[in-house]
Amino acid sequence: MEVSRRTANLLGGGGGGRGLNLKETELCLGLPGGGGGSEVAPEAPKANGKRGYSETVDLKLNLHTKEPATLDLKDMPIKNGLKEKNLLASADSTKDPAKPPAKAQVVGWPPVRSYRKNMMSNKNNKDEGSTDQKTSTASAVAFVKVSMDGAPYLRKVDLKMYNSYDQLSDALGKMFSSFTMGNYGAQEMIDFMNESKLMDLLNSSEYVPTYEDKDGDWMLVGDVPWEMFVESCKRLRIMKGSEAIGLAPRAMEKCKSRS
Amino acid sequence: MAYSFPEEVLEHVFSFLHSDRDRNAVSLVCKSWYEIDRWSRRRVFIGNCYAISPRAVIRRFPEVRSIKIKGKPHFADFNLVPDGWGGYVFPWITAMASSYPWLEEIHLKRMVVTNACLELIAKSFKNFRVLVLSTCEGFSTDGLASIAANCRNLRELDLRDSEVDDLSGHWLSHFPDSYTSLVSLNISCLGSEVSFSALERLVSRCPNLRSLSLNRAVPIDRIACLLRQAPQLVELGTGAYNAELRPDVFSSLSGAFSCLKELRSLSGFWDAVPAYIPAVYSVCSGITSLNLSYTTMQNPDLTKLVSQCPNLQQLWVLDYIEDCGLEAVAASCKDLRELRVFPSDPYEEDEFDIALTERGLVSVSEGCTNLQSVLYFCRQMSNAALISIAQNRPNLTRFRLCIIEPRSPDYLTLQPLDAGFGAIVEHCKGLRRLSLSGLLTDRVFEYIGTHAKKLEMLSVAFAGESDLGLHLVLSGCESLRKLEIRDCPFGDKALLANAEKLETMRSLWMSSCSVSFGACKLLCRRMPRLNVEVIDETSEVAESRPESFTVQKLYIYRSVAGPRLDMPDYVLSMGEESPDLIG
């Protein structure tokens, strides 16, 4: 099959032809002090005419003979078989095989100037001693990631922009409206006072917002006063009610402790 | 020769030549033209402060009024150059203090500037007008106070991106009451609060003020009264742009902006609160430059703001703009010439946060026919996208792409991105600057060496497979001046085979590559007008290194000044002490 032959060319570096034949571009060295002028393919222009070092370094460049003007980009590898594409397409795919499993920070990479890094990290920096800024409040912003089960990407919200759960709920509804088809936006915030209503919700396929607090516990959104929530929330996740059922016992306890 | 032009006529003709290259060419025609150019050259650009001695510059050009000097290599911006490396401007200032009493302008980039330098500048140049310190360090606000107090004719003070030891905002009050000539002030990099009343009085008594970039500490409710004092502003950088929404503050701000009929450039907007953004809508139609790269504002507010600027030519923004925002830019900002998209969270580990992809850049390349300059950080790229971009925009002159994860392949095909970058250099024949990223084999360097004939600066990281890659670039890129490489398997062979090429370039930086100590010594011996500096931060004594030892970092640059004398312990010059070649 055409596709696999091309793939073989690309990977195996087999006979001539037009794939990425890297063997042909191998840089070879002659012995120092040996052989006369270097053999350089005509389309590898040198910056100057001198060959001062050909006595010591003898380069043999067998560059792939292509007309520079017609770089045959049609030969770029076409998509591989469906199998690999599926691996990439699925949102649940595990790490791409080309990436290393653990991410150690590389010095100076990505190439972003330090004042840019500081700008962004300062937005979450609750330390008033920071030399780059003196903000009037303890922390002017509180960005948290919001993920929704089934949505292809995360969003971030600044909790300090809202004053109540209703406002947050509105904003989340708008943000993810294209994914929920109305299952999220319309509802009110969870009523913790009403035990049976709560259980109905958690048994349904409606989406409920949950959050991870400072201790790493996942809780239903709405169980603590708003200000306390803003301080303790580290990230948000919108999941189906039926999945949130495991969080119910804590919610129930809180419910009971209030009534 | 009785019929030759009088010198004054030639000098007048030369005054129309603005580029250094043209003036350099003219100076080579004959001795008298050389002399006329010498005496009439008013602006000098020193691309590498160690390429020539201050004395040599002064000797050749005795009547300079404006000087621009660059110090550290570009990779110093990303912490690859250790502290104390060099780039000290003090020797230049002392030399010029005695020889250029009429000096008006000093522009410095990546240099170490001390308070002593600033004091010397303030005292030595009676007609001093312009001080631009770009990405400099080594001075404090005390040095700024000297400048403010003594430079009666100062027009421009621009501290862009410098690291200043910010002791207090008091320095601004050192501008005397009689001082009225300010045209441009950029203090955006400073952290401390300057006295607002001093700032306000300064703004109100300087009728020629055109450019004002405030720092984050200036709160939003103070901007309006500043703007009312300076309706002639062309460039404005706001301070922090957040507060609880108060209708009186909003309407005051909105009214103040609507008076800025000349405003063309906006920046700042730290911590911007969307509710206050509509206050600037009245100026959007005239805006040509927008720098939102410090604001954490997101969509839809971010896109809404940018799409209101139909005359936008330059946009710097964070990846909060997302693909949808860039599509809107492509539709609304038809005169866009430069786009820079920075990562909001460079160390973001979560793979699902991908609302900005290659699609945004492709949209802009389709919709913005004047697009010439791109700097784009993203997390995925494909050859198909790069080929599209190249075909859409053959007029690109600067293309810098940073795919955040090193060695990322084409995410659709898992192939290297050689073909994509190959298309860029093939189609964009005027390309002068290129930064590569992603998974790249030696093949991409073949494309670059073959096609990138106008390329002047190339940045390479985590790419290539062998010395062939480096050789192809050094032997093929005729216009190459600056080459910076990190973490590539390039070594001795390519370097030694292209030694002469290095003298046609300003500089070469290689770090975490495979160059040996022995090759560095060999190179240095062969090329006396190259300074070959090895940076070695490990503790062992450098002289005891074997020839085969792989150097950590290597900086090679052409120079007529010989090896420099201010190297710290960890920098080794490979040459022996050579006499000053100027004599």
PDB file of all heavy atoms in Angstrom, chain A residues 137-170:
ATOM      1  N   THR A 137      -4.372  45.054  48.036  1.00  0.00           N
ATOM      2  CA  THR A 137      -5.042  43.960  48.740  1.00  0.00           C
ATOM      3  C   THR A 137      -4.076  42.796  48.891  1.00  0.00           C
ATOM      4  O   THR A 137      -3.057  42.751  48.222  1.00  0.00           O
ATOM      5  CB  THR A 137      -6.271  43.481  47.965  1.00  0.00           C
ATOM      6  OG1 THR A 137      -5.837  43.117  46.660  1.00  0.00           O
ATOM      7  CG2 THR A 137      -7.298  44.584  47.848  1.00  0.00           C
ATOM      8  N   ALA A 138      -4.448  41.867  49.720  1.00  0.00           N
ATOM      9  CA  ALA A 138      -3.567  40.727  49.980  1.00  0.00           C
ATOM     10  C   ALA A 138      -3.295  39.962  48.694  1.00  0.00           C
ATOM     11  O   ALA A 138      -2.182  39.583  48.404  1.00  0.00           O
ATOM     12  CB  ALA A 138      -4.189  39.815  51.019  1.00  0.00           C
ATOM     13  N   SER A 139      -4.321  39.710  47.928  1.00  0.00           N
ATOM     14  CA  SER A 139      -4.077  39.186  46.585  1.00  0.00           C
ATOM     15  C   SER A 139      -5.209  39.690  45.703  1.00  0.00           C
ATOM     16  O   SER A 139      -6.366  39.451  45.975  1.00  0.00           O
ATOM     17  CB  SER A 139      -4.021  37.665  46.580  1.00  0.00           C
ATOM     18  OG  SER A 139      -5.222  37.123  47.050  1.00  0.00           O
ATOM     19  N   ALA A 140      -4.804  40.403  44.650  1.00  0.00           N
ATOM     20  CA  ALA A 140      -5.814  41.089  43.858  1.00  0.00           C
ATOM     21  C   ALA A 140      -6.590  40.130  42.972  1.00  0.00           C
ATOM     22  O   ALA A 140      -7.688  40.427  42.535  1.00  0.00           O
ATOM     23  CB  ALA A 140      -5.138  42.148  43.001  1.00  0.00           C
ATOM     24  N   VAL A 141      -5.995  38.989  42.665  1.00  0.00           N
ATOM     25  CA  VAL A 141      -6.656  38.051  41.773  1.00  0.00           C
ATOM     26  C   VAL A 141      -6.565  36.655  42.374  1.00  0.00           C
ATOM     27  O   VAL A 141      -5.715  36.375  43.203  1.00  0.00           O
ATOM     28  CB  VAL A 141      -6.004  38.043  40.374  1.00  0.00           C
ATOM     29  CG1 VAL A 141      -6.231  39.346  39.661  1.00  0.00           C
ATOM     30  CG2 VAL A 141      -4.536  37.737  40.486  1.00  0.00           C
ATOM     31  N   ALA A 142      -7.474  35.800  41.973  1.00  0.00           N
ATOM     32  CA  ALA A 142      -7.458  34.414  42.430  1.00  0.00           C
ATOM     33  C   ALA A 142      -7.851  33.532  41.260  1.00  0.00           C
ATOM     34  O   ALA A 142      -8.983  33.107  41.125  1.00  0.00           O
ATOM     35  CB  ALA A 142      -8.420  34.232  43.601  1.00  0.00           C
ATOM     36  N   PHE A 143      -6.871  33.271  40.416  1.00  0.00           N
ATOM     37  CA  PHE A 143      -7.161  32.458  39.242  1.00  0.00           C
ATOM     38  C   PHE A 143      -7.207  30.987  39.595  1.00  0.00           C
ATOM     39  O   PHE A 143      -6.323  30.478  40.265  1.00  0.00           O
ATOM     40  CB  PHE A 143      -6.082  32.658  38.178  1.00  0.00           C
ATOM     41  CG  PHE A 143      -6.359  33.824  37.289  1.00  0.00           C
ATOM     42  CD1 PHE A 143      -5.782  35.047  37.546  1.00  0.00           C
ATOM     43  CD2 PHE A 143      -7.189  33.711  36.189  1.00  0.00           C
ATOM     44  CE1 PHE A 143      -6.043  36.137  36.739  1.00  0.00           C
ATOM     45  CE2 PHE A 143      -7.451  34.793  35.373  1.00  0.00           C
ATOM     46  CZ  PHE A 143      -6.877  36.014  35.648  1.00  0.00           C
ATOM     47  N   VAL A 144      -8.238  30.295  39.142  1.00  0.00           N
ATOM     48  CA  VAL A 144      -8.280  28.846  39.293  1.00  0.00           C
ATOM     49  C   VAL A 144      -8.653  28.233  37.940  1.00  0.00           C
ATOM     50  O   VAL A 144      -9.347  28.857  37.138  1.00  0.00           O
ATOM     51  CB  VAL A 144      -9.298  28.398  40.369  1.00  0.00           C
ATOM     52  CG1 VAL A 144      -8.908  28.922  41.728  1.00  0.00           C
ATOM     53  CG2 VAL A 144     -10.705  28.815  40.006  1.00  0.00           C
ATOM     54  N   LYS A 145      -8.187  27.019  37.741  1.00  0.00           N
ATOM     55  CA  LYS A 145      -8.520  26.327  36.499  1.00  0.00           C
ATOM     56  C   LYS A 145      -9.914  25.731  36.634  1.00  0.00           C
ATOM     57  O   LYS A 145     -10.305  25.268  37.687  1.00  0.00           O
ATOM     58  CB  LYS A 145      -7.533  25.182  36.260  1.00  0.00           C
ATOM     59  CG  LYS A 145      -6.134  25.642  35.994  1.00  0.00           C
ATOM     60  CD  LYS A 145      -5.254  24.434  35.685  1.00  0.00           C
ATOM     61  CE  LYS A 145      -3.807  24.802  35.858  1.00  0.00           C
ATOM     62  NZ  LYS A 145      -2.930  23.666  35.688  1.00  0.00           N
ATOM     63  N   VAL A 146     -10.641  25.751  35.528  1.00  0.00           N
ATOM     64  CA  VAL A 146     -11.960  25.135  35.505  1.00  0.00           C
ATOM     65  C   VAL A 146     -11.967  24.092  34.406  1.00  0.00           C
ATOM     66  O   VAL A 146     -11.714  24.418  33.250  1.00  0.00           O
ATOM     67  CB  VAL A 146     -13.063  26.156  35.183  1.00  0.00           C
ATOM     68  CG1 VAL A 146     -14.425  25.507  35.334  1.00  0.00           C
ATOM     69  CG2 VAL A 146     -12.938  27.379  36.056  1.00  0.00           C
ATOM     70  N   SER A 147     -12.238  22.864  34.781  1.00  0.00           N
ATOM     71  CA  SER A 147     -12.355  21.869  33.725  1.00  0.00           C
ATOM     72  C   SER A 147     -13.769  21.321  33.749  1.00  0.00           C
ATOM     73  O   SER A 147     -14.432  21.325  34.781  1.00  0.00           O
ATOM     74  CB  SER A 147     -11.354  20.734  33.921  1.00  0.00           C
ATOM     75  OG  SER A 147     -11.616  20.059  35.125  1.00  0.00           O
ATOM     76  N   MET A 148     -14.195  20.897  32.585  1.00  0.00           N
ATOM     77  CA  MET A 148     -15.527  20.303  32.533  1.00  0.00           C
ATOM     78  C   MET A 148     -15.380  18.952  31.863  1.00  0.00           C
ATOM     79  O   MET A 148     -14.769  18.850  30.805  1.00  0.00           O
ATOM     80  CB  MET A 148     -16.444  21.191  31.719  1.00  0.00           C
ATOM     81  CG  MET A 148     -17.811  20.601  31.577  1.00  0.00           C
ATOM     82  SD  MET A 148     -18.934  21.877  31.074  1.00  0.00           S
ATOM     83  CE  MET A 148     -20.442  20.983  31.114  1.00  0.00           C
ATOM     84  N   ASP A 149     -15.941  17.941  32.470  1.00  0.00           N
ATOM     85  CA  ASP A 149     -15.800  16.600  31.914  1.00  0.00           C
ATOM     86  C   ASP A 149     -16.339  16.567  30.496  1.00  0.00           C
ATOM     87  O   ASP A 149     -17.500  16.915  30.250  1.00  0.00           O
ATOM     88  CB  ASP A 149     -16.577  15.594  32.774  1.00  0.00           C
ATOM     89  CG  ASP A 149     -15.878  15.352  34.094  1.00  0.00           C
ATOM     90  OD1 ASP A 149     -14.831  16.014  34.334  1.00  0.00           O
ATOM     91  OD2 ASP A 149     -16.367  14.548  34.891  1.00  0.00           O
ATOM     92  N   GLY A 150     -15.522  16.140  29.574  1.00  0.00           N
ATOM     93  CA  GLY A 150     -15.969  16.034  28.197  1.00  0.00           C
ATOM     94  C   GLY A 150     -15.586  17.233  27.346  1.00  0.00           C
ATOM     95  O   GLY A 150     -15.571  17.149  26.124  1.00  0.00           O
ATOM     96  N   ALA A 151     -15.244  18.357  27.962  1.00  0.00           N
ATOM     97  CA  ALA A 151     -14.846  19.529  27.161  1.00  0.00           C
ATOM     98  C   ALA A 151     -13.368  19.403  26.797  1.00  0.00           C
ATOM     99  O   ALA A 151     -12.584  18.932  27.614  1.00  0.00           O
ATOM    100  CB  ALA A 151     -15.080  20.807  27.957  1.00  0.00           C
ATOM    101  N   PRO A 152     -12.973  19.796  25.605  1.00  0.00           N
ATOM    102  CA  PRO A 152     -11.589  19.574  25.179  1.00  0.00           C
ATOM    103  C   PRO A 152     -10.561  20.496  25.810  1.00  0.00           C
ATOM    104  O   PRO A 152      -9.378  20.226  25.707  1.00  0.00           O
ATOM    105  CB  PRO A 152     -11.640  19.796  23.671  1.00  0.00           C
ATOM    106  CG  PRO A 152     -12.829  20.645  23.450  1.00  0.00           C
ATOM    107  CD  PRO A 152     -13.803  20.344  24.536  1.00  0.00           C
ATOM    108  N   TYR A 153     -10.953  21.578  26.408  1.00  0.00           N
ATOM    109  CA  TYR A 153      -9.924  22.355  27.066  1.00  0.00           C
ATOM    110  C   TYR A 153     -10.413  23.062  28.315  1.00  0.00           C
ATOM    111  O   TYR A 153     -11.581  23.238  28.548  1.00  0.00           O
ATOM    112  CB  TYR A 153      -9.226  23.332  26.128  1.00  0.00           C
ATOM    113  CG  TYR A 153     -10.097  24.052  25.143  1.00  0.00           C
ATOM    114  CD1 TYR A 153     -10.913  25.097  25.520  1.00  0.00           C
ATOM    115  CD2 TYR A 153     -10.060  23.700  23.804  1.00  0.00           C
ATOM    116  CE1 TYR A 153     -11.697  25.762  24.592  1.00  0.00           C
ATOM    117  CE2 TYR A 153     -10.832  24.357  22.885  1.00  0.00           C
ATOM    118  CZ  TYR A 153     -11.642  25.383  23.286  1.00  0.00           C
ATOM    119  OH  TYR A 153     -12.392  26.029  22.366  1.00  0.00           O
ATOM    120  N   LEU A 154      -9.405  23.437  29.110  1.00  0.00           N
ATOM    121  CA  LEU A 154      -9.666  24.097  30.378  1.00  0.00           C
ATOM    122  C   LEU A 154      -9.903  25.572  30.153  1.00  0.00           C
ATOM    123  O   LEU A 154      -9.464  26.149  29.181  1.00  0.00           O
ATOM    124  CB  LEU A 154      -8.429  24.010  31.270  1.00  0.00           C
ATOM    125  CG  LEU A 154      -7.915  22.690  31.755  1.00  0.00           C
ATOM    126  CD1 LEU A 154      -6.786  22.978  32.731  1.00  0.00           C
ATOM    127  CD2 LEU A 154      -8.978  21.918  32.468  1.00  0.00           C
ATOM    128  N   ARG A 155     -10.532  26.167  31.149  1.00  0.00           N
ATOM    129  CA  ARG A 155     -10.559  27.614  31.196  1.00  0.00           C
ATOM    130  C   ARG A 155      -9.968  28.031  32.532  1.00  0.00           C
ATOM    131  O   ARG A 155      -9.702  27.193  33.380  1.00  0.00           O
ATOM    132  CB  ARG A 155     -12.009  28.135  31.094  1.00  0.00           C
ATOM    133  CG  ARG A 155     -12.759  27.687  29.872  1.00  0.00           C
ATOM    134  CD  ARG A 155     -12.015  27.946  28.591  1.00  0.00           C
ATOM    135  NE  ARG A 155     -11.799  29.361  28.388  1.00  0.00           N
ATOM    136  CZ  ARG A 155     -12.553  30.109  27.574  1.00  0.00           C
ATOM    137  NH1 ARG A 155     -13.551  29.577  26.912  1.00  0.00           N
ATOM    138  NH2 ARG A 155     -12.283  31.381  27.418  1.00  0.00           N
ATOM    139  N   LYS A 156      -9.766  29.310  32.671  1.00  0.00           N
ATOM    140  CA  LYS A 156      -9.335  29.831  33.968  1.00  0.00           C
ATOM    141  C   LYS A 156     -10.287  30.932  34.362  1.00  0.00           C
ATOM    142  O   LYS A 156     -10.712  31.721  33.525  1.00  0.00           O
ATOM    143  CB  LYS A 156      -7.929  30.418  33.848  1.00  0.00           C
ATOM    144  CG  LYS A 156      -6.860  29.378  33.776  1.00  0.00           C
ATOM    145  CD  LYS A 156      -5.491  30.031  33.821  1.00  0.00           C
ATOM    146  CE  LYS A 156      -4.430  28.985  33.566  1.00  0.00           C
ATOM    147  NZ  LYS A 156      -3.325  29.463  32.806  1.00  0.00           N
ATOM    148  N   VAL A 157     -10.639  30.990  35.633  1.00  0.00           N
ATOM    149  CA  VAL A 157     -11.456  32.108  36.103  1.00  0.00           C
ATOM    150  C   VAL A 157     -10.787  32.761  37.286  1.00  0.00           C
ATOM    151  O   VAL A 157     -10.085  32.112  38.069  1.00  0.00           O
ATOM    152  CB  VAL A 157     -12.885  31.673  36.540  1.00  0.00           C
ATOM    153  CG1 VAL A 157     -13.744  31.352  35.359  1.00  0.00           C
ATOM    154  CG2 VAL A 157     -12.850  30.529  37.522  1.00  0.00           C
ATOM    155  N   ASP A 158     -11.059  34.045  37.406  1.00  0.00           N
ATOM    156  CA  ASP A 158     -10.564  34.792  38.550  1.00  0.00           C
ATOM    157  C   ASP A 158     -11.730  34.918  39.528  1.00  0.00           C
ATOM    158  O   ASP A 158     -12.681  35.674  39.300  1.00  0.00           O
ATOM    159  CB  ASP A 158     -10.096  36.169  38.067  1.00  0.00           C
ATOM    160  CG  ASP A 158      -9.670  37.057  39.221  1.00  0.00           C
ATOM    161  OD1 ASP A 158      -9.617  36.563  40.368  1.00  0.00           O
ATOM    162  OD2 ASP A 158      -9.389  38.237  38.972  1.00  0.00           O
ATOM    163  N   LEU A 159     -11.649  34.167  40.623  1.00  0.00           N
ATOM    164  CA  LEU A 159     -12.772  34.137  41.570  1.00  0.00           C
ATOM    165  C   LEU A 159     -13.048  35.503  42.177  1.00  0.00           C
ATOM    166  O   LEU A 159     -14.160  35.784  42.615  1.00  0.00           O
ATOM    167  CB  LEU A 159     -12.499  33.105  42.672  1.00  0.00           C
ATOM    168  CG  LEU A 159     -12.461  31.657  42.201  1.00  0.00           C
ATOM    169  CD1 LEU A 159     -12.126  30.733  43.365  1.00  0.00           C
ATOM    170  CD2 LEU A 159     -13.792  31.233  41.594  1.00  0.00           C
ATOM    171  N   LYS A 160     -12.011  36.368  42.204  1.00  0.00           N
ATOM    172  CA  LYS A 160     -12.212  37.676  42.820  1.00  0.00           C
ATOM    173  C   LYS A 160     -13.109  38.580  41.990  1.00  0.00           C
ATOM    174  O   LYS A 160     -13.486  39.648  42.424  1.00  0.00           O
ATOM    175  CB  LYS A 160     -10.850  38.353  43.030  1.00  0.00           C
ATOM    176  CG  LYS A 160      -9.950  37.599  43.979  1.00  0.00           C
ATOM    177  CD  LYS A 160      -9.838  38.261  45.333  1.00  0.00           C
ATOM    178  CE  LYS A 160      -9.142  37.338  46.314  1.00  0.00           C
ATOM    179  NZ  LYS A 160      -8.714  37.948  47.526  1.00  0.00           N
ATOM    180  N   MET A 161     -13.407  38.142  40.771  1.00  0.00           N
ATOM    181  CA  MET A 161     -14.270  38.973  39.930  1.00  0.00           C
ATOM    182  C   MET A 161     -15.747  38.806  40.298  1.00  0.00           C
ATOM    183  O   MET A 161     -16.581  39.534  39.781  1.00  0.00           O
ATOM    184  CB  MET A 161     -14.102  38.572  38.468  1.00  0.00           C
ATOM    185  CG  MET A 161     -12.692  38.715  38.013  1.00  0.00           C
ATOM    186  SD  MET A 161     -12.536  39.736  36.566  1.00  0.00           S
ATOM    187  CE  MET A 161     -13.724  39.036  35.493  1.00  0.00           C
ATOM    188  N   TYR A 162     -16.047  37.845  41.115  1.00  0.00           N
ATOM    189  CA  TYR A 162     -17.448  37.567  41.434  1.00  0.00           C
ATOM    190  C   TYR A 162     -17.699  37.785  42.909  1.00  0.00           C
ATOM    191  O   TYR A 162     -16.799  37.683  43.725  1.00  0.00           O
ATOM    192  CB  TYR A 162     -17.817  36.129  41.053  1.00  0.00           C
ATOM    193  CG  TYR A 162     -17.394  35.790  39.651  1.00  0.00           C
ATOM    194  CD1 TYR A 162     -16.289  34.979  39.426  1.00  0.00           C
ATOM    195  CD2 TYR A 162     -18.070  36.304  38.546  1.00  0.00           C
ATOM    196  CE1 TYR A 162     -15.880  34.691  38.145  1.00  0.00           C
ATOM    197  CE2 TYR A 162     -17.659  36.018  37.260  1.00  0.00           C
ATOM    198  CZ  TYR A 162     -16.566  35.208  37.071  1.00  0.00           C
ATOM    199  OH  TYR A 162     -16.156  34.928  35.805  1.00  0.00           O
ATOM    200  N   ASN A 163     -18.950  38.082  43.231  1.00  0.00           N
ATOM    201  CA  ASN A 163     -19.279  38.337  44.631  1.00  0.00           C
ATOM    202  C   ASN A 163     -20.156  37.273  45.244  1.00  0.00           C
ATOM    203  O   ASN A 163     -20.436  37.317  46.431  1.00  0.00           O
ATOM    204  CB  ASN A 163     -20.004  39.687  44.756  1.00  0.00           C
ATOM    205  CG  ASN A 163     -19.058  40.813  44.426  1.00  0.00           C
ATOM    206  OD1 ASN A 163     -17.902  40.754  44.796  1.00  0.00           O
ATOM    207  ND2 ASN A 163     -19.551  41.802  43.708  1.00  0.00           N
ATOM    208  N   SER A 164     -20.631  36.367  44.414  1.00  0.00           N
ATOM    209  CA  SER A 164     -21.545  35.359  44.966  1.00  0.00           C
ATOM    210  C   SER A 164     -21.490  34.114  44.099  1.00  0.00           C
ATOM    211  O   SER A 164     -20.992  34.131  42.983  1.00  0.00           O
ATOM    212  CB  SER A 164     -22.973  35.899  44.975  1.00  0.00           C
ATOM    213  OG  SER A 164     -23.427  35.986  43.638  1.00  0.00           O
ATOM    214  N   TYR A 165     -22.054  33.061  44.635  1.00  0.00           N
ATOM    215  CA  TYR A 165     -22.114  31.811  43.888  1.00  0.00           C
ATOM    216  C   TYR A 165     -22.955  31.959  42.618  1.00  0.00           C
ATOM    217  O   TYR A 165     -22.649  31.357  41.589  1.00  0.00           O
ATOM    218  CB  TYR A 165     -22.726  30.690  44.752  1.00  0.00           C
ATOM    219  CG  TYR A 165     -21.770  30.129  45.774  1.00  0.00           C
ATOM    220  CD1 TYR A 165     -21.986  30.288  47.137  1.00  0.00           C
ATOM    221  CD2 TYR A 165     -20.634  29.422  45.358  1.00  0.00           C
ATOM    222  CE1 TYR A 165     -21.103  29.759  48.066  1.00  0.00           C
ATOM    223  CE2 TYR A 165     -19.752  28.904  46.280  1.00  0.00           C
ATOM    224  CZ  TYR A 165     -19.983  29.067  47.634  1.00  0.00           C
ATOM    225  OH  TYR A 165     -19.116  28.535  48.546  1.00  0.00           O
ATOM    226  N   ASP A 166     -23.997  32.782  42.708  1.00  0.00           N
ATOM    227  CA  ASP A 166     -24.854  32.958  41.531  1.00  0.00           C
ATOM    228  C   ASP A 166     -24.069  33.537  40.366  1.00  0.00           C
ATOM    229  O   ASP A 166     -24.191  33.112  39.222  1.00  0.00           O
ATOM    230  CB  ASP A 166     -26.027  33.891  41.862  1.00  0.00           C
ATOM    231  CG  ASP A 166     -27.104  33.151  42.633  1.00  0.00           C
ATOM    232  OD1 ASP A 166     -27.189  31.903  42.462  1.00  0.00           O
ATOM    233  OD2 ASP A 166     -27.839  33.787  43.399  1.00  0.00           O
ATOM    234  N   GLN A 167     -23.270  34.560  40.688  1.00  0.00           N
ATOM    235  CA  GLN A 167     -22.490  35.197  39.618  1.00  0.00           C
ATOM    236  C   GLN A 167     -21.513  34.205  39.009  1.00  0.00           C
ATOM    237  O   GLN A 167     -21.326  34.157  37.791  1.00  0.00           O
ATOM    238  CB  GLN A 167     -21.705  36.387  40.173  1.00  0.00           C
ATOM    239  CG  GLN A 167     -22.574  37.589  40.457  1.00  0.00           C
ATOM    240  CD  GLN A 167     -21.755  38.777  40.929  1.00  0.00           C
ATOM    241  OE1 GLN A 167     -20.523  38.740  40.904  1.00  0.00           O
ATOM    242  NE2 GLN A 167     -22.438  39.819  41.357  1.00  0.00           N
ATOM    243  N   LEU A 168     -20.903  33.397  39.871  1.00  0.00           N
ATOM    244  CA  LEU A 168     -19.945  32.411  39.369  1.00  0.00           C
ATOM    245  C   LEU A 168     -20.664  31.399  38.488  1.00  0.00           C
ATOM    246  O   LEU A 168     -20.203  31.051  37.402  1.00  0.00           O
ATOM    247  CB  LEU A 168     -19.260  31.700  40.543  1.00  0.00           C
ATOM    248  CG  LEU A 168     -18.325  30.552  40.160  1.00  0.00           C
ATOM    249  CD1 LEU A 168     -17.150  31.068  39.343  1.00  0.00           C
ATOM    250  CD2 LEU A 168     -17.815  29.825  41.399  1.00  0.00           C
ATOM    251  N   SER A 169     -21.798  30.968  38.957  1.00  0.00           N
ATOM    252  CA  SER A 169     -22.571  29.974  38.220  1.00  0.00           C
ATOM    253  C   SER A 169     -22.948  30.483  36.833  1.00  0.00           C
ATOM    254  O   SER A 169     -22.846  29.784  35.835  1.00  0.00           O
ATOM    255  CB  SER A 169     -23.828  29.643  39.029  1.00  0.00           C
ATOM    256  OG  SER A 169     -24.590  28.708  38.346  1.00  0.00           O
ATOM    257  N   ASP A 170     -23.368  31.746  36.795  1.00  0.00           N
ATOM    258  CA  ASP A 170     -23.691  32.392  35.519  1.00  0.00           C
ATOM    259  C   ASP A 170     -22.510  32.365  34.565  1.00  0.00           C
ATOM    260  O   ASP A 170     -22.615  32.022  33.399  1.00  0.00           O
ATOM    261  CB  ASP A 170     -23.989  33.872  35.783  1.00  0.00           C
ATOM    262  CG  ASP A 170     -25.475  34.133  35.725  1.00  0.00           C
ATOM    263  OD1 ASP A 170     -26.226  33.192  35.363  1.00  0.00           O
ATOM    264  OD2 ASP A 170     -25.871  35.255  36.041  1.00  0.00           O
TER     265      ASP A 170
END
